[in-house]
Amino acid sequence: MNKTVAATTIGCKVNFYDTQGILEQFTKAGYTIVDFTEIADVYVVNTCSVTNLADKKSRQMIGRAKQRNPQAIVVSVGCSSQANPSVYKDLGVDIVMGTTERNQLVNHIESFEKQPIVHVATDIRGDETFESTTISTDSDRTRAFLKIQDGCDNFCTYCIIPHVRGKSRSRDFEDVMSQATQFAENGYKEIVVAGIHVASYGKDLQDRNLIDVLSAITRLEGIERVRLSSVEPNVITPEFCEFVAKTPKFCDHLHLSLQSGSNGILKLMNRKYTTDDYYRAVEQIRTVRPKINITTDVIAGFPTEEESDHSQTKQFLQTIRLSKIHVFPFSAKMGTGAAGMAGQIPKSVKKQRCKELLEISDRQENAYYQSFVGKVMSVLVEETTKDGFFLGKTTNYMPVAFTADKSDLANQIVAVKLNSVDKNRLVGILQ
């Protein structure tokens, strides 16, 4: 009887890509993949440490795996496991891995079965090698995530990621294109180019950069859309804008990280830009794509954040009119500069500030969506609901539910007339 493996992922799209690569290793080794809610011989938890809540969720998943099958081999990988290996060992994890050696996981399982000695994550510091994992399919049937970069050199004072992911390092260009070509051959119509700090791609290579990757992928036959994961305003250069202007396949959506609308707080965060820099970047990209959907992240309640700083953030967000704001209360991560800063903000204040920022986000998202009512847009169909609606996303990443006199439109790009906004999505009908 084949052995079974189940995996769950907490955190970012890079983590999801890494999990998919891990599962393909198990498939090649003869394992059967089952859902994480089922009984399995091996459980893999891909952990996240971006916030304390992510750490907590990661630990909870370990507990659930052990309860589901006490005889199973339980593995932790990812950022939280890298940051706190002793915690996971104390939780009874059999193989504690971090953000390296994931390509050796099946070998570690086999070694553990012969001699059950707990394996603990290796130190990531000084590692300059991109751990390449090739996957044939993504868990998303219509949108494939392509990891081209890992690590980060920025050391923002609130962020643990450079400590657990190591230095920024790029995937070999030919390897990137081999993976992208495989996605195209397997029928994917959209590729999301991702990394921990994806704008750093190529800085450790001799003659390649991010635009080279994006340009090459858009030329692949069968790929209709190329999307970029989260970036910072310094990616918006004249060269980037020129590429966007002449490349219809590049999606009308950017997640442009902000974190604060106060220059004083940005400096304390060790961000490498000011609000003026951010504003200019947005205006530059809107010059070539006037209706581009720009979303962002904001941290509420960073240490020493006064009410005036919070007000500056609110005013800046309302001035710049971003369509969606992902809001997070500041989370003091052990090992980061901000964790030990004076002027920590009370939880109740952070909660209120989050509420106010989310209200701005809701208003601006609704206004942005309403501006498309009555228009016909292309939608990449992802799934069908039980009540007969097709669900998909536009090129500018707006979720759409629509009706059609068809039985199966999955993974097709179709024209949809957008008739109304319902909660956080547009509703329409197939044209």
Side-chain angles (χ1 to χ4, degrees):
M1 185 176 181
N2 285 350
K3 293 180 181 179
T4 55
V5 60
T8 190
T9 307
I10 298 93
C12 65
K13 296 301 184 183
V14 172
N15 258 15
F16 279 89
Y17 181 92
D18 291 337
T19 298
Q20 201 65 36
I22 288 169
L23 288 176
E24 288 217 8
Q25 290 178 49
F26 279 102
T27 299
K28 290 174 182 176
Y31 284 74
T32 298
I33 299 171
V34 299
D35 192 84
F36 195 77
T37 59
E38 298 179 31
I39 301 296
D41 297 305
V42 177
Y43 290 97
V44 179
V45 179
N46 197 345
T47 65
C48 177
S49 195
V50 71
T51 64
N52 290 330
L53 180 59
D55 281 314
K56 182 179 178 180
K57 287 181 178 178
S58 300
R59 296 191 297 269
Q60 286 174 340
M61 291 301 105
I62 295 294
R64 291 180 189 178
K66 294 186 73 64
Q67 287 177 352
R68 212 155 276 144
N69 183 8
Q71 281 72 51
I73 296 175
V74 178
V75 181
S76 64
V77 300
C79 293
S80 183
S81 185
Q82 181 75 50
N84 309 290
S86 60
V87 170
Y88 286 87
K89 185 176 179 181
D90 291 344
L91 287 172
V93 173
D94 301 304
I95 299 175
V96 182
M97 300 182 68
T99 56
T100 60
E101 296 186 339
R102 287 161 298 202
N103 287 341
Q104 299 300 314
L105 182 49
V106 174
N107 293 336
H108 286 311
I109 295 280
E110 292 174 353
S111 296
F112 184 85
E113 288 173 331
K114 295 173 184 175
Q115 190 174 8
I117 299 174
V118 175
H119 175 86
V120 179
T122 57
D123 195 332
I124 189 70
R125 288 175 294 185
D127 191 348
E128 298 184 10
T129 304
F130 183 91
E131 185 178 76
S132 183
T133 302
T134 299
I135 62 177
S136 56
T137 60
D138 196 307
S139 54
D140 187 320
R141 292 187 304 153
T142 57
R143 181 177 296 107
F145 289 86
L146 175 53
K147 178 181 172 183
I148 68 167
Q149 181 274 341
D150 207 339
C152 183
D153 299 333
N154 283 357
F155 289 93
C156 298
T157 56
Y158 57 82
C159 186
I160 195 68
I161 300 305
H163 302 277
V164 296
R165 286 274 180 175
K167 296 179 65 173
S168 178
R169 48 210 188 276
S170 305
R171 188 172 183 173
D172 178 75
F173 180 80
E174 299 304 325
D175 191 24
V176 169
M177 293 313 300
S178 175
Q179 175 70 94
T181 300
Q182 189 165 18
F183 282 143
E185 290 172 348
N186 288 345
Y188 289 95
K189 290 187 168 56
E190 180 176 317
I191 289 180
V192 183
V193 177
I196 296 299
H197 191 259
V198 71
S200 296
Y201 181 83
K203 289 184 178 180
D204 52 340
L205 303 177
Q206 290 186 343
D207 57 353
R208 297 293 185 182
N209 59 33
L210 178 61
I211 293 176
D212 292 330
V213 170
L214 297 175
S215 298
I217 295 174
T218 60
R219 292 194 293 269
L220 289 176
E221 185 177 352
I223 299 300
E224 301 296 329
R225 295 179 174 185
V226 177
R227 198 179 297 280
L228 193 56
S229 68
S230 179
V231 291
E232 295 176 2
N234 59 9
V235 82
I236 311 299
T237 61
E239 183 185 13
F240 182 84
C241 290
E242 181 183 355
F243 162 75
V244 172
K246 67 182 183 182
T247 312
K249 286 186 179 181
F250 187 80
C251 291
D252 285 328
H253 171 242
L254 278 177
H255 188 80
L256 203 61
S257 184
L258 173 62
Q259 306 305 357
S260 177
S262 160
N263 284 328
I265 297 299
L266 286 175
K267 187 173 182 179
L268 284 175
M269 289 177 167
N270 197 32
R271 303 295 281 178
K272 306 298 193 295
Y273 53 84
T274 65
T275 53
D276 284 346
D277 296 331
Y278 192 98
Y279 187 87
R280 282 194 295 270
V282 170
E283 290 302 296
Q284 279 184 290
I285 199 66
R286 281 176 174 163
T287 299
V288 296
R289 292 283 181 91
K291 295 294 286 184
I292 192 169
N293 181 7
I294 301 177
T295 58
T296 198
D297 298 318
V298 172
I299 295 173
F302 189 82
T304 76
E305 184 185 69
E306 301 285 351
E307 192 60 39
S308 58
D309 297 307
H310 176 57
S311 294
Q312 288 173 36
T313 296
K314 290 194 294 182
Q315 182 59 51
F316 184 72
L317 290 169
Q318 290 172 101
T319 299
I320 207 163
R321 308 181 321 279
L322 306 182
S323 61
K324 188 175 182 65
I325 306 157
H326 299 269
V327 182
F328 304 91
F330 170 73
S331 180
K333 295 293 301 176
M334 288 288 291
T336 65
M341 283 183 180
Q344 297 289 324
I345 306 299
K347 185 177 180 179
S348 59
V349 175
K350 289 190 282 189
K351 183 178 180 180
Q352 177 60 31
R353 289 178 182 175
C354 283
K355 179 175 180 291
E356 293 172 15
L357 294 172
L358 286 170
E359 287 171 352
I360 294 172
S361 178
D362 288 344
R363 289 196 300 270
Q364 294 185 174
E365 181 180 49
N366 183 265
Y368 182 76
Y369 285 13
Q370 289 287 354
S371 71
F372 291 91
V373 171
K375 299 184 183 300
V376 175
M377 296 192 70
S378 64
V379 174
L380 176 56
V381 184
E382 298 171 355
E383 59 180 307
T384 309
T385 65
K386 292 180 180 178
D387 53 358
F389 279 92
F390 291 95
L391 303 180
K393 289 189 176 67
T394 59
T395 180
N396 55 350
Y397 211 63
M398 296 188 302
V400 174
F402 67 94
T403 55
D405 186 20
K406 303 280 185 180
S407 58
D408 185 17
L409 293 172
N411 200 34
Q412 294 185 42
I413 295 177
V414 297
V416 176
K417 174 75 175 295
L418 305 176
N419 294 324
S420 63
V421 178
D422 178 26
K423 298 179 182 177
N424 294 318
R425 69 183 187 184
L426 283 143
V427 179
I429 186 168
L430 183 71
Q431 292 297 284

